[in-house]
């Protein structure tokens, strides 16, 4: 979808969302955007990048934003969005229709302090970077809950939730790192040439916000990994205890089986003719079981 033109202090803004083949052709024919550029900026597998075409004087920005697969389960991946400055017109590409990107764009548009297209771009990036913070806080809350539940009683649903957290953190932490790396590089590119104090302040603001988000996800990733390692250790210890119990129990049950099996043979055996031989076999079984348990205790196998 190609939305109607808007203006940012005299600069035209063309917003696109999930464009199809016909709309791609419109961008090529009506606005003169190269087909390769459109393919690049709408590719959902692209990573963070900034490209300046010295011949066309075009500037292309690609950044990653969080994309919810299931908000309730905190399942997130990341998807790219693009901004293109082409012949004095700003084009934005949100091919995955990411809500956080739409919010960031219109938040920058409604900001009275945004007085240039460069400020609009940086304010949009700031808000997109900021959109990772609520997810990090939700992960912290979920992580605390899972930490308590796993220490009380392990459920498969809790293990699945912990796995989802690890996957989400992997995607988001990687995106935060690549975004921050590009934000640090941006002032040194053509986009940062001749920046005035206001633009320098915007650069610093979005970089500081990116570093804060990176620290938050770094901490969360480490804590969730430690919880997972701790749980695995507890699970292994519990399994060892269970196997020890089953082994001892099987040895205990083997003793009376041997005794009763021996006296159950259809041949004459010592003491087999006594009236209370069954009590004798029971006593022998109990004595051997007690002796075996004492030996295991002495050998520290229990």
């Amino acid at each position: 979808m190609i939305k109607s033109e808007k203006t940012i202090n005299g600069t035209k803004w063309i917003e696109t969302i999930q464009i199809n083949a016909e709309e791609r052709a419109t961008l090529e024919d009506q606005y003169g955007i190269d087909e390769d550029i459109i393919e690049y900026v709408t590719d959902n597998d692209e990573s963070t990048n900034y490209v300046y075409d010295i011949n066309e004087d075009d500037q292309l920005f690609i950044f990653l934003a969080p994309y919810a697969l299931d908000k309730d389960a905190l399942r997130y991946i990341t998807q790219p969005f693009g901004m293109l400055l082409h012949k004095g017109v700003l084009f934005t590409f949100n091919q995955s229709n990411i809500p956080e990107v739409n919010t960031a764009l219109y938040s920058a548009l409604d900001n009275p302090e945004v007085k240039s297209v460069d400020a609009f771009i940086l304010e949009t990036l700031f808000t997109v970077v900021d959109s990772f913070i609520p997810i990090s806080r939700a992960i912290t809350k979920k992580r605390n809950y899972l930490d308590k539940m796993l220490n009380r009683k392990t459920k498969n649903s809790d293990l699945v939730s912990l796995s989802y957290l690890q996957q989400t953190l992997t995607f988001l932490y990687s995106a935060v790192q690549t975004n921050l790396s590009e934000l640090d590089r941006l002032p040194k590119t053509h986009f940062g040439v001749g920046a005035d104090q206001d633009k320098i302040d915007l650069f610093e603001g979005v970089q500081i916000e990116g570093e804060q988000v990176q620290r938050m996800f770094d901490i969360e990733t480490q804590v969730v990994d430690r919880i997972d390692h701790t749980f695995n250790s507890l699970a292994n210890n519990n399994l060892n205890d269970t196997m020890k119990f089953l082994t001892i129990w099987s040895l205990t049950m083997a003793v009376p089986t041997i005794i009763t099996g021996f006296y159950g043979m259809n041949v004459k055996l010592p003491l087999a003719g006594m009236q209370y031989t069954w009590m004798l076999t029971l006593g022998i079984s109990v004595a051997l079981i007690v002796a075996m348990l004492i030996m295991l205790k002495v050998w520290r196998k229990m």
Side-chain angles (χ1 to χ4, degrees):
M1 175 173 57
I2 300 178
K3 293 193 172 184
S4 58
E5 292 184 3
K6 304 175 184 64
T7 58
I8 305 168
N9 291 324
T11 300
K12 288 183 180 180
W13 170 32
I14 309 296
E15 180 186 9
T16 73
I17 298 176
Q18 295 180 324
I19 57 175
N20 54 34
E22 183 180 347
E23 291 164 340
R24 291 168 187 255
T26 299
L27 292 174
E28 294 176 32
D29 299 336
Q30 185 173 342
Y31 298 100
I33 303 177
D34 190 77
E35 180 183 0
D36 292 339
I37 296 294
I38 297 176
E39 287 293 333
Y40 179 72
V41 81
T42 57
D43 186 354
N44 286 334
D45 295 324
E46 285 300 331
S47 185
T48 306
N49 198 9
Y50 168 82
V51 178
Y52 172 63
D53 187 342
I54 191 172
N55 296 319
E56 297 290 337
D57 196 28
D58 288 349
Q59 297 183 74
L60 176 62
F61 306 79
I62 303 288
F63 279 84
L64 296 174
Y67 183 79
L69 299 177
D70 185 346
K71 282 190 176 182
D72 294 334
L74 281 178
R75 296 192 65 187
Y76 282 84
I77 59 174
T78 57
Q79 290 290 297
F81 70 97
M83 293 180 284
L84 173 66
L85 278 171
H86 173 70
K87 296 181 179 180
V89 180
L90 174 65
F91 297 84
T92 60
F93 299 85
N94 187 5
Q95 194 64 13
S96 299
N97 195 18
I98 307 169
E100 287 79 3
V101 173
N102 294 329
T103 299
L105 290 170
Y106 283 91
S107 175
L109 182 66
D110 295 335
N111 189 339
E113 296 182 0
V114 173
K115 299 179 181 179
S116 67
V117 67
D118 289 357
F120 177 87
I121 292 172
L122 290 173
E123 282 291 341
T124 299
L125 295 179
F126 181 93
T127 306
V128 169
V129 170
D130 211 38
S131 68
F132 285 86
I133 294 178
I135 303 174
S136 176
R137 290 172 179 166
I139 289 174
T140 301
K141 185 177 180 180
K142 185 72 172 181
R143 179 253 299 166
N144 289 333
Y145 167 78
L146 290 175
D147 190 22
K148 293 178 182 179
M149 295 305 297
L150 290 174
N151 287 329
R152 294 177 184 175
K153 185 178 180 181
T154 303
K155 297 180 181 178
N156 288 338
S157 59
D158 293 333
L159 296 179
V160 171
S161 296
L162 182 61
S163 175
Y164 287 162
L165 281 189
Q166 289 180 309
Q167 293 174 29
T168 293
L169 283 170
T170 299
F171 282 114
L172 298 188
Y173 185 46
S174 176
V176 166
Q177 285 184 309
T178 55
N179 281 350
L180 180 59
S181 176
E182 196 62 31
L183 289 172
D184 290 339
R185 188 178 77 91
L186 210 53
K188 305 178 184 68
T189 64
H190 179 79
F191 185 67
V193 173
D196 57 17
Q197 189 59 46
D198 290 339
K199 191 172 181 179
I200 292 174
D201 292 341
L202 288 173
F203 275 129
E204 292 178 352
V206 72
Q207 287 169 344
I208 291 172
E209 194 73 4
E211 291 170 357
Q212 177 185 348
V213 172
Q214 184 188 37
R215 285 194 296 270
M216 293 175 68
F217 276 95
D218 186 24
I219 293 172
E220 282 305 314
T221 300
Q222 293 183 39
V223 173
V224 170
D225 285 345
R226 289 178 183 177
I227 291 175
D228 181 60
H229 293 158
T230 300
F231 169 75
N232 288 334
S233 297
L234 291 174
N236 289 333
N237 288 337
N238 291 338
L239 179 61
N240 290 337
D241 292 340
T242 301
M243 294 304 297
K244 181 191 295 185
F245 171 78
L246 292 176
T247 301
I248 294 173
W249 182 256
S250 62
L251 290 174
T252 303
M253 291 297 99
V255 172
T257 301
I258 294 172
I259 301 301
T260 56
F262 182 76
Y263 273 92
M265 292 188 295
N266 193 22
V267 296
K268 289 185 178 181
L269 295 171
L271 307 176
M274 294 178 58
Q275 182 178 2
Y276 298 105
T277 301
W278 68 273
M279 295 184 64
L280 178 62
T281 58
L282 181 63
I284 293 174
S285 297
V286 171
L288 289 175
I289 290 172
V290 171
M292 183 186 66
L293 293 177
I294 292 174
M295 291 172 63
L296 290 173
K297 187 72 174 179
V298 172
W299 292 342
R300 296 184 179 181
K301 299 297 183 181
M302 293 179 58

